[in-house]
Amino acid sequence: MTRAIVLFFLLAVLGGCEGHDPHVRLLERYSFSDAGARQRTYAGEEFPDSAGIQIYALRAGGTAKPLRVEYEVTKGGGSVNPRVVMVQDANLALTRWTGGQASTLQEMRARVYDSDGELLSSRQLRGLAFSEARWDSCIYPPERGMIDMAWSPIHDTTLLVSGQGLFIQGNRYFDWLPHPDPEFKDTRNIEVDTRGNFYIGDNDGSIHKSTDGGATWQAISKPIPGFQGVFDFTVTRNDHLWMTTYYHSIRCSRDGGTSWSVDTAGLAKDERIGDIYSLSDGTIVMMSLNSNVYQSMDDGHTWQPLDLPGKPFGLFVTPDDEIVVFALAITPGNNGYAVYKAQTPGGEYQKTAHIPSEFGARSLIHVYSHEGLYYVGIPGAGVYTTTAFEDFEIFKRLPRLFELFMSGEGLLIGTHTQHKKAYYKKIARNR
Amino acid sequence: MNRFSVGLHSGINFASLQGKLKQGKWESNSGAINGLYFEYALSDHFDLHTGLIHESLYLTHKDYSYSNGRDEPGPGPWHLFNPDVLYPSSYNSNRHWNFNMYRIPLQIQFHTQTRLRFELAAGTSFGFLVQAVAPHNSCPIYYNEQNIIRANEDASFPEHDWGYYYSAGIDYPVDKQWTIGVAGNYYSGSREFLEHTASRLESLAFMLNVEYSGIHDDGIKTYHSRDSLKSKWFITYKTGMLLSNHRGNQFQNSYSPRIGLSGGIAFYYHLDESFSLQAELLYQRKGYHLEDSSRYPYRMATSPDIPVQFDNDTRVDLDYFTLPVLLNVRFGQNEVFFMNGGFYYSFNFNARATGTQYETHITSNTYQRKKLRIYDHMEGYIKDGDWGWVLGAGLRLPVWGSADLELELRYDQSFTDNYQNLGDREYMREDRAFFNEGLQLMVGIHVPIY
């Protein structure tokens, strides 16, 4: 009896000590991705391509069951047709989506159900609907994250440089087509000369040139041999190319980028170009990033400092060679920029206006002329219009405006201080 | 009286680990254990026991193998897509260890003076590692029985080990000088052997032994009569079923009781005609059943911070060696009935969760369902010790000479919660206050020993 009990005990202890092994078995997996998302259209018009979701499935045994996808517009005021799409033999569930008028951002929710009615996924598709009747907000690249923009009136082409590379404007003002050359994924500046030649400065210290409106490019020079990095780059009305960068003062090319000369006589140490203009009489006037203003009477070989009122943060020269200076004005409760105007670089500066601003940004005040009106982008303030830089009107208050760009057709694109979005406004539709 | 005895014993062992085990199955593969031993009689009931043992310990860790069903009929016309599985459609990650050791135990052994002699010993054991075979450091991945992912084989182990050594067994004399017997040995190591689990070696061995006691024989051989009327010492061999549960937790409805095994021996010392002191050594399997939506298969914890739903049907096994100390009172005609009460201390030597978990992962990009066959050692989550109170009652019926058949119903409950402090996050603090609770129905043979 005792032995039986002990044996039973031992067997019971050993029994159940083992069993199955740990194991994971994937029963089913569906992966969902957007199809036709982030499209753009005019408000009130259908998006160019069908939109919907793409479904990939993996099931452990059995056959695929049909899925039901329900679409519902949730933002922007658009519409969708059909609202329900069944998926059986294809892995695409597409519908037609029309952009609404309510906002730039259009949103449509897609809910995926299995054949038992269980919700497998709920995801949101987004698109953009642009309207000339309003300021649009673009939350997608390349405008979000754009760095520079240039327009060639000769080729009627607008190029945009963003963190994603070089883009060429498409048929619609909000279409931007990436340049196919992968070398231009890493560009920094874009400029255009009076003959319609585009110049690109890349992050490797090189300059590329296009004579055919941005279709093809040639590497023309490396202004600082051995230098690799970003640099300041601009082209003046006399088609001179100018560049500076950290620890490398002003270099100028007077032959379209073939050769470069270092012209720093008269400049303070470590001056870098902020804003630079050539006047009709050949005088060159330049505001440095140290807020010093110089003029050169010998095509930029030697420089003379100018004594201007206030601390210049922006410089502009009108087609009539009038000098406009935006000087930082620190006034309790009314910080901003004081606008001064003079007939010549060394002439008498008259204060014409005060533009309040949230913050000061040197060399980021950009002025564009369009159909007889100047559009002035003031960082931390917004877009102002003026005819003679004496009276300014607020065109759009944008306290988070960082830089303003304009294409020749009257398209304003402003960047956000934190690159969260781009401000979009088509002033006139010329096409 | 035979002062000196020498014997040979041989058997099998089952190695396992003690430490912060939290995932996967530690499989106890059998290994050989052989040796010789010496006993020196200190008195009629106590011996000094030592010897030399060689044993091979085999351990296998089975982590979660994986399959995605590609080998089965496919998903119809849909495109197969499996972008985030770095590994093949199925793999396993089993790892194996093998330790060869010599051990020198040193124990004090108690034995009865009956012809069928019951022995109980406790002491220490010093070990010398002879050979160790270790797997790769990181989880290897096997596909079609080929090791497709391997890491370096850097592993080192202590050259020496020591720990506590417990034995229990029965011997039977086949003539004046020769005895045969069976014994169970439990070794609990104190040196950390596997760093990544902070775990120590333990083994459970079952051995047959042959003992010769004719080296120094004084010619006096006595077996004490078992006169129950005069005896003060009694022993009960008992086994039974244990209905256990956990109480005091936050999601009480998610748990249900489960049935386990209980068994062992009880010693009685009669203080007078009614009262006796009772000390026991029991093996007990406690635990509970979990059936709910929990991120863990072994306890309830919500998962609001992750986009995963769980559906569990699991069983938690908690194996204890328990030492109750009780006061027993006998009453009724012929002292048929008894009641006892007192306290216990339990040592947890094994904890694991087994069962099934369905995991549904839902994001805007993915819907995924997995079935997990759960087998997780969870000693790392459970406290090593537990103590509480005991109350029981039963009856004894004479069945065979001086032996009684004992039936007992007993309830016990722990004073402290069983889970380790897992951390401060919400899901780590949730539902951590577990208290053992058990109802045992045991049957045993109650015999006088002295």
Side-chain angles (χ1 to χ4, degrees):
Chain A
M1 184 68 176
T2 305
R3 290 180 188 176
I5 291 173
V6 171
L7 183 62
F8 171 72
F9 170 70
L10 292 176
L11 290 174
V13 170
L14 290 174
C17 286
E18 303 304 324
H20 63 256
D21 292 338
H23 184 79
V24 181
R25 180 171 178 76
L26 180 65
L27 299 178
E28 56 185 330
R29 184 212 308 267
Y30 297 94
S31 296
F32 310 99
S33 59
D34 295 344
R38 297 191 177 190
Q39 291 187 68
R40 300 177 177 201
T41 187
Y42 288 108
E45 295 185 7
E46 199 172 76
F47 285 97
D49 296 324
S50 297
I53 61 171
Q54 192 161 18
I55 304 168
Y56 298 100
L58 181 67
R59 290 173 63 88
T63 56
K65 296 177 182 176
L67 301 183
R68 174 187 171 92
V69 184
E70 294 182 3
Y71 292 106
E72 177 192 10
V73 171
T74 55
K75 187 171 185 176
S79 60
V80 60
N81 186 35
R83 289 174 172 271
V84 177
V85 179
M86 299 299 292
V87 184
Q88 173 71 59
D89 295 332
N91 58 358
L92 276 170
L94 299 176
T95 186
R96 299 299 300 181
W97 186 8
T98 300
Q101 301 279 358
S103 62
T104 311
L105 184 63
Q106 306 286 307
E107 291 182 346
M108 175 171 72
R109 181 159 294 283
R111 294 184 176 86
V112 186
Y113 299 90
D114 68 7
S115 55
D116 299 325
E118 184 177 354
L119 180 65
L120 303 184
S121 176
S122 175
R123 54 188 295 114
Q124 197 143 268
L125 287 81
R126 286 178 165 178
L128 298 175
F130 290 85
S131 171
E132 294 181 21
R134 66 178 179 228
W135 278 80
D136 285 305
S137 291
C138 178
I139 60 171
Y140 294 126
E143 298 94 324
R144 177 184 171 180
M146 72 179 285
I147 302 167
D148 206 352
M149 192 165 82
W151 169 63
S152 164
I154 294 174
H155 299 97
D156 193 19
T157 302
T158 303
L159 300 183
L160 180 153
V161 167
S162 132
Q164 287 71 39
L166 175 65
F167 293 82
I168 305 170
Q169 192 176 37
N171 291 329
R172 301 178 299 180
Y173 69 87
F174 44 76
D175 286 335
W176 298 96
L177 310 173
H179 194 280
D181 191 337
E183 187 175 355
F184 298 116
K185 290 289 183 191
D186 201 22
T187 52
R188 181 75 183 179
N189 324 84
I190 185 160
E191 298 293 330
V192 63
D193 66 16
T194 58
R195 287 170 288 187
N197 299 318
F198 282 109
Y199 299 88
I200 276 180
D202 64 20
N203 292 341
D204 197 32
S206 299
I207 292 176
H208 303 260
K209 182 177 182 179
S210 173
T211 58
D212 56 4
T216 60
W217 295 81
Q218 301 84 40
I220 55 169
S221 62
K222 204 171 175 75
I224 307 171
F227 171 76
Q228 290 185 321
V230 299
F231 55 91
D232 318 307
F233 177 52
T234 190
V235 177
T236 47
R237 286 180 210 160
N238 57 1
D239 290 344
H240 288 6
L241 279 58
W242 305 85
M243 68 85 64
T244 55
T245 186
Y246 293 103
Y247 311 118
H248 297 286
S249 193
I250 294 176
R251 281 160 168 75
C252 177
S253 174
R254 298 173 180 83
D255 54 7
T258 305
S259 62
W260 293 82
S261 62
V262 181
D263 297 319
T264 58
L267 295 178
K269 190 183 177 186
D270 292 334
E271 291 286 30
R272 289 171 54 195
I273 295 171
D275 297 324
I276 187 167
Y277 293 88
S278 65
L279 279 59
S280 306
D281 62 358
T283 302
I284 296 170
V285 59
M286 186 264 288
M287 184 198 80
S288 76
L289 290 181
N290 293 325
S291 289
N292 297 319
V293 178
Y294 301 88
Q295 70 173 354
S296 172
M297 311 296 284
D298 56 0
D299 204 20
H301 291 289
T302 61
W303 301 89
Q304 300 83 45
L306 295 175
D307 188 18
L308 268 63
K311 189 167 189 172
F313 264 48
L315 175 71
F316 179 70
V317 176
T318 70
D320 299 329
D321 291 345
E322 292 175 309
I323 313 297
V324 180
V325 172
F326 298 86
L328 188 66
I330 305 296
T331 309
N334 194 23
N335 291 337
Y337 297 96
V339 184
Y340 296 91
K341 185 178 167 186
Q343 298 305 311
T344 62
E348 183 179 352
Y349 285 84
Q350 299 289 332
K351 181 177 179 180
T352 59
H354 175 89
I355 300 175
S357 174
E358 300 280 330
F359 57 89
R362 199 177 273 117
S363 187
L364 293 179
I365 297 173
H366 299 314
V367 180
Y368 303 95
S369 172
H370 181 71
E371 296 184 347
L373 204 59
Y374 290 106
Y375 292 84
V376 185
I378 305 291
V383 181
Y384 285 76
T385 57
T386 182
T387 53
F389 295 96
E390 291 174 357
D391 297 316
F392 289 81
E393 285 188 27
I394 182 81
F395 184 62
K396 177 68 175 176
R397 176 166 165 72
L398 300 169
R400 297 290 98 191
L401 179 69
F402 192 59
E403 277 191 275
L404 183 70
F405 302 95
M406 178 186 258
S407 73
E409 57 171 348
L411 171 64
L412 290 169
I413 302 179
T415 60
H416 189 270
T417 50
Q418 297 173 318
H419 301 292
K420 289 183 175 176
K421 57 186 175 182
Y423 305 106
Y424 236 95
K425 176 61 181 172
K426 183 76 163 64
I427 298 172
R429 191 167 188 175
N430 294 332
R431 299 188 182 197
Chain B
M1 181 175 178
N2 307 311
R3 286 258 175 222
F4 290 101
S5 302
V6 61
L8 294 171
H9 49 189
S10 178
I12 58 169
N13 66 28
F14 297 90
S16 57
L17 290 172
Q18 228 176 359
K20 295 179 180 175
L21 312 181
K22 291 183 176 176
Q23 187 180 340
K25 177 182 182 180
W26 286 92
E27 198 169 70
S28 298
N29 306 115
S30 59
I33 178 168
N34 301 287
L36 72 161
Y37 63 89
F38 306 95
E39 286 178 358
Y40 176 77
L42 300 173
S43 69
D44 285 348
H45 290 279
F46 291 94
D47 301 327
L48 187 64
H49 180 101
T50 185
L52 181 65
I53 298 170
H54 176 266
E55 64 177 338
S56 297
L57 304 172
Y58 294 94
L59 282 166
T60 298
H61 183 248
K62 294 183 173 179
D63 211 339
Y64 283 82
S65 59
Y66 178 89
S67 68
N68 68 12
R70 281 189 194 176
D71 50 341
E72 297 190 12
W78 290 5
H79 179 59
L80 287 173
F81 184 70
N82 205 12
D84 54 355
V85 175
L86 299 174
Y87 303 122
S89 58
S90 62
Y91 63 83
N92 68 67
S93 53
N94 297 345
R95 290 182 288 171
H96 307 277
W97 286 263
N98 171 217
F99 300 105
N100 282 298
M101 309 193 81
Y102 282 108
R103 295 194 190 283
I104 300 175
L106 184 64
Q107 294 173 296
I108 298 294
Q109 179 176 276
F110 164 82
H111 62 80
T112 61
Q113 283 287 65
T114 51
R115 184 169 185 82
L116 179 65
R117 196 169 80 166
F118 175 77
E119 295 176 342
L120 192 64
T124 60
S125 176
F126 298 88
F128 305 89
L129 183 65
V130 180
Q131 186 186 28
V133 178
H136 310 295
N137 262 0
S138 61
C139 286
I141 304 298
Y142 293 93
Y143 178 55
N144 287 339
E145 298 184 353
Q146 287 194 332
N147 185 203
I148 59 168
I149 293 180
R150 58 171 65 231
N152 63 63
E153 298 184 41
D154 181 28
S156 60
F157 303 98
E159 292 181 0
H160 308 287
D161 188 23
W162 75 274
Y164 298 101
Y165 200 53
Y166 307 95
S167 305
I170 49 176
D171 281 349
Y172 188 81
V174 292
D175 72 5
K176 190 176 176 183
Q177 294 172 326
W178 292 90
T179 304
I180 60 171
V182 295
N185 301 325
Y186 173 70
Y187 171 76
S188 173
S190 295
R191 295 287 297 271
E192 191 175 279
F193 254 68
L194 268 61
E195 281 185 21
H196 70 288
T197 56
S199 54
R200 308 175 301 278
L201 290 175
E202 66 176 2
S203 71
L204 185 64
F206 300 97
M207 306 171 80
L208 299 173
N209 57 59
V210 178
E211 186 176 309
Y212 176 69
S213 54
I215 300 171
H216 174 75
D217 193 344
D218 57 12
I220 302 170
K221 191 76 176 179
T222 57
Y223 297 112
H224 289 267
S225 66
R226 291 182 291 179
D227 183 350
S228 60
L229 294 176
K230 294 180 180 176
S231 292
K232 281 184 173 291
W233 289 91
F234 291 81
I235 190 168
T236 298
Y237 307 97
K238 55 170 69 176
T239 185
M241 309 305 288
L242 190 154
L243 184 70
S244 70
N245 196 17
H246 274 72
R247 64 168 182 82
N249 41 55
Q250 187 177 333
F251 301 96
Q252 189 69 57
N253 293 334
S254 304
Y255 304 93
S256 55
R258 55 151 308 187
I259 292 177
L261 183 81
S262 177
I265 53 170
F267 295 96
Y268 299 84
Y269 177 73
H270 285 199
L271 299 171
D272 59 24
E273 292 181 352
S274 297
F275 290 92
S276 53
L277 282 177
Q278 179 177 348
E280 299 180 337
L281 174 62
L282 301 176
Y283 159 79
Q284 291 181 313
R285 170 162 292 175
K286 296 182 175 178
Y288 50 89
H289 179 216
L290 169 63
E291 192 169 7
D292 208 330
S293 301
S294 169
R295 67 192 296 163
Y296 298 128
Y298 51 89
R299 71 178 175 90
M300 265 302 294
T302 55
S303 52
D305 55 328
I306 51 175
V308 185
Q309 295 172 6
F310 301 94
D311 186 11
N312 292 286
D313 184 0
T314 52
R315 197 177 70 173
V316 170
D317 296 330
L318 304 173
D319 291 334
Y320 290 96
F321 284 132
T322 300
L323 298 167
V325 176
L326 312 170
L327 182 65
N328 187 293
V329 56
R330 307 178 298 280
F331 56 93
Q333 189 175 14
N334 297 326
E335 299 176 353
V336 168
F337 301 102
F338 66 87
M339 288 183 65
N340 54 34
F343 304 97
Y344 73 86
Y345 182 82
S346 290
F347 168 70
N348 178 263
F349 67 97
N350 185 37
R352 67 167 179 263
T354 55
T356 305
Q357 183 182 63
Y358 287 92
E359 182 186 298
T360 307
H361 183 217
I362 303 174
T363 68
S364 60
N365 294 327
T366 307
Y367 175 90
Q368 180 175 282
R369 269 184 87 234
K370 293 179 187 172
K371 180 182 180 183
L372 284 78
R373 279 200 320 216
I374 300 293
Y375 197 119
D376 282 332
H377 274 268
M378 46 181 284
E379 286 86 347
Y381 296 125
I382 301 294
K383 289 178 180 173
D384 290 342
D386 177 35
W387 70 295
W389 59 272
V390 182
L391 194 63
L395 54 90
R396 290 192 190 101
L397 302 170
V399 289
W400 175 27
S402 59
D404 293 339
L405 177 69
E406 182 177 295
L407 294 170
E408 182 184 358
L409 188 65
R410 178 184 292 184
Y411 176 81
D412 63 49
Q413 191 179 97
S414 54
F415 287 133
T416 58
D417 63 300
N418 290 321
Y419 268 94
Q420 304 270 18
N421 186 351
L422 305 177
D424 292 328
R425 293 187 178 178
E426 176 70 23
Y427 59 84
M428 293 175 172
R429 284 187 278 112
E430 275 183 323
D431 216 30
R432 212 170 57 197
F434 280 91
F435 297 85
N436 273 324
E437 183 179 51
L439 186 66
Q440 298 176 69
L441 178 62
M442 290 193 288
V443 58
I445 297 295
H446 182 78
V447 293
I449 56 174
Y450 185 65

